[in-house]
Amino acid sequence: MGRRVAVLGSTGSIGVQALEIIRNSPSLELHSIFCGSSADALAGQIRRYGPGMAGMAHPPRGGAPEGVCSGPGSLRKVIEGADMVLNAIVGSAGLEASLAAREMGIPLALANKESLVIGGELLDDHLEKGLVIPVDSEHSTVFRCLAGEARPPAKILLTASGGALRDMPPEEVYRAPVERVLAHPNWEMGSRITVDSASMVNKAFEVIEARKLFPGIPVGVVVHPESIVHSLVETADGAWKALMGLPDMGVPISFALHWPDLPLAGAVTGESPTDWGTLSFRELDEGRYPAFTAVMAAFRAGGTAPAAANAADEEAVGAFLAGRIPFGAIAAVIAGVVREHRPRPASDYETIIEADAGARVAARRIMEAM
Ligand code: NDP
Ligand code: MG
C-alpha cells in the first residue's frame, strides 16, 4: 500500500498539481482532500480522484456537497489516518492545519509558509523531529543541498525572480495595474503569492521560513531573474551548491511527498542546460521593495509582529485585487500595522489569532483613511 496523503488546499495551484502527482505515483495514495469554499471544484475532484474523504472550511449556504464534511472538527477528520499531510492552504488559515498535523504526529509537507512565519515556535518540536518537509522551491533546494554536509554551511542564499514588476520604471510601480502584477514572468501560482512576489513580501516570508527550517545558518537574498537556480548554499569550505532546472513546482511537491525516497515518475523531463540560456545574479535593491523592508522589520521585532505583518498583507492584497488600493499602498499598510502593533510572545495559538485579527482591523482602518 502506498503512502496515504491528505491534500489540504486541494483546489489551489499547489493542490491541483499535487493531485496529479499522487495519481501518477505508484507509491502514493490519496487519503483525503480539503478546501476553503470552492464547492463545485471540490465535487469535481471527488469524481476525478476518488479520495477516501473530503471536507471544506466554508460550505455554501445550501450546505456542503454530498459526502463532504464541514464545520468544526472537519479538518481533523480528513487528516486522521493519513501518513502525510500536504498543507497547501493559503494564508494564516493554514496554521491550524499545520498544528493539527503536529499534534497527530503526522509528517507535514509544507507549502503554507505562513505557518512558519506566524507560528513557527508552535511547530518547533515537529521541526526538530525532522517531520516538516518544505515544498517551497527555494527551501526544498536548500533542504537537498544540506544533505551530506558534515559541517554547518556558511550561508543560505535564496534566489528571487524580482517579480512581475522588476523591469517597470520605479515611478510607475506604485500604480501598477492588477493584470500586470498578476503576470509573473516565470511561475504560475495563486493570486496572493503572485502579488507577494511582485512586492517581495513573499521573499521576506521565505527568509523567515528559512530561519525556522534551517536554524543557525545566515540567510540572504539574491535576485536571479531567470529562476533556473532555485537557491544556493555556501558550504563551510566556501564552495556553492545549488539545484537547477526550468521553474516547475512539480519537482519540489513530488520530492516532499515521496521523501525520504525519491519519486520514480516524472524524474526525466528531457530538459537540457542548453534550454536555460544565460544565468544572471544581482543584489536586491531594497529601495525598490519597501514591503520587503516592512516585513523584515516585523521579523526583527519578533513575537506576534510577523503575524500582524502577514494579516496586514492579506488584507492589503485583497483590497488591491478588488481595485480598492493601489499596488504601492500595500507596503504602507504593512508598515503602518507593524508600527502600531505591540508584539507579544507568539507562544500559543490564541495569541497569534488575536494578533492576526487585531492587525486586520488596523489594516482596514489605515486603508479607509488613505
Ligand atoms: P491558491 O490561492 O491557488 O489556493 C489556495 C488553497 O487554499 C485553495 O484550495 C483554497 O480553497 C484553500 N483555502 C483558502 N482558505 C482556506 C481556509 N480557510 N480553509 C481551508 N482551505 C482554504 O494558493 P497557492 O496554491 O498558490 O498557494 C498555497 C500555499 O502554498 C500558500 O501558502 C503559498 O504561499 C504556498 N506556495 C505556493 C506556490 C505556488 O507555486 N503556487 C509556491 C510556493 C509556496 P478554495 O479554492 O475553496 O478557496
Ligand atoms: Mg518560493
Side-chain angles (χ1 to χ4, degrees):
M1 207 170 72
R3 169 184 278 174
R4 291 161 302 185
V5 184
V7 178
L8 314 180
S10 64
T11 52
S13 161
I14 295 277
V16 163
Q17 294 176 73
L19 293 179
E20 280 298 312
I21 289 167
I22 294 167
R23 189 221 261 290
N24 292 322
S25 170
S27 51
L28 302 176
E29 274 176 38
L30 184 60
H31 177 71
S32 57
I33 57 178
F34 191 78
C35 78
S37 57
S38 304
D40 292 344
L42 194 73
Q45 292 185 336
I46 294 171
R47 285 193 297 274
R48 184 171 165 83
Y49 298 100
M53 220 180 323
M56 64 194 304
H58 308 294
R61 216 171 277 158
E66 207 186 313
V68 174
C69 60
S70 63
S74 56
L75 178 64
R76 283 169 173 275
K77 224 192 250 171
V78 301
I79 295 176
E80 187 112 57
D83 300 316
M84 176 172 259
V85 169
L86 169 65
N87 186 355
I89 293 172
V90 66
S92 60
L95 176 59
E96 190 188 351
S98 293
L99 294 181
R102 178 202 145 252
E103 269 164 42
M104 293 155 109
I106 305 172
L108 177 63
L110 189 62
N112 179 263
K113 62 191 86 186
E114 295 89 342
S115 292
L116 290 175
V117 170
I118 74 175
E121 284 172 48
L122 305 184
L123 288 164
D124 274 351
D125 58 342
H126 218 49
L127 286 161
E128 275 159 27
K129 286 181 197 154
L131 293 179
V132 181
I133 302 98
V135 171
D136 214 350
S137 58
E138 294 79 359
H139 305 75
S140 179
T141 295
V142 172
F143 188 86
R144 297 178 74 163
C145 288
L146 292 180
E149 287 303 304
R151 279 160 61 200
K155 189 181 355 176
I156 289 168
L157 257 190
L158 303 177
T159 47
S161 70
L165 309 179
R166 65 188 178 205
D167 299 320
M168 188 178 258
E171 63 280 8
E172 289 173 28
V173 168
Y174 195 90
R175 301 214 166 266
V178 170
E179 320 79 72
R180 268 302 297 281
V181 173
L182 287 182
H184 195 287
N186 308 338
W187 298 96
E188 178 87 36
M189 311 178 285
S191 55
R192 197 250 174 147
I193 185 173
T194 305
V195 177
D196 283 351
S197 295
S199 66
M200 285 276 186
V201 162
N202 180 53
K203 209 49 59 177
F205 284 171
E206 290 185 351
V207 170
I208 304 174
E209 183 186 8
R211 296 296 296 262
K212 301 279 184 193
L213 285 166
F214 314 113
I217 309 175
V219 180
V221 174
V222 65
V223 174
H224 168 50
E226 297 84 10
S227 295
I228 297 291
V229 175
H230 302 307
S231 281
L232 299 124
V233 170
E234 187 183 7
T235 61
D237 62 342
W240 292 88
K241 282 170 109 176
L243 205 70
M244 291 177 273
L246 294 174
D248 177 0
M249 282 307 293
V251 175
I253 297 170
S254 186
F255 178 82
L257 294 183
H258 290 87
W259 181 87
D261 294 330
L262 270 186
L264 290 174
V268 181
T269 60
E271 154 186 0
S272 144
T274 53
D275 300 332
W276 297 344
T278 307
L279 305 184
S280 63
F281 300 88
R282 57 177 189 246
E283 270 190 52
L284 175 72
D285 172 10
E286 257 195 70
R288 217 185 143 91
Y289 299 105
F292 177 90
T293 309
V295 175
M296 292 315 295
F299 178 51
R300 280 190 296 276
T304 51
N310 173 71
D313 181 63
E314 285 189 32
E315 291 294 320
V317 168
F320 165 66
L321 291 173
R324 292 199 304 272
I325 62 166
F327 175 76
I330 295 172
V333 175
I334 301 170
V337 168
V338 170
R339 213 176 301 123
E340 276 183 27
H341 183 73
R342 295 226 186 126
R344 293 165 60 194
S347 45
D348 61 88
Y349 181 71
E350 288 67 33
T351 306
I352 294 166
I353 293 307
E354 245 173 59
D356 177 283
R360 284 173 199 274
V361 173
R364 280 182 227 129
R365 174 172 41 71
I366 291 171
M367 288 191 284
E368 265 159 36
M370 274 173 164

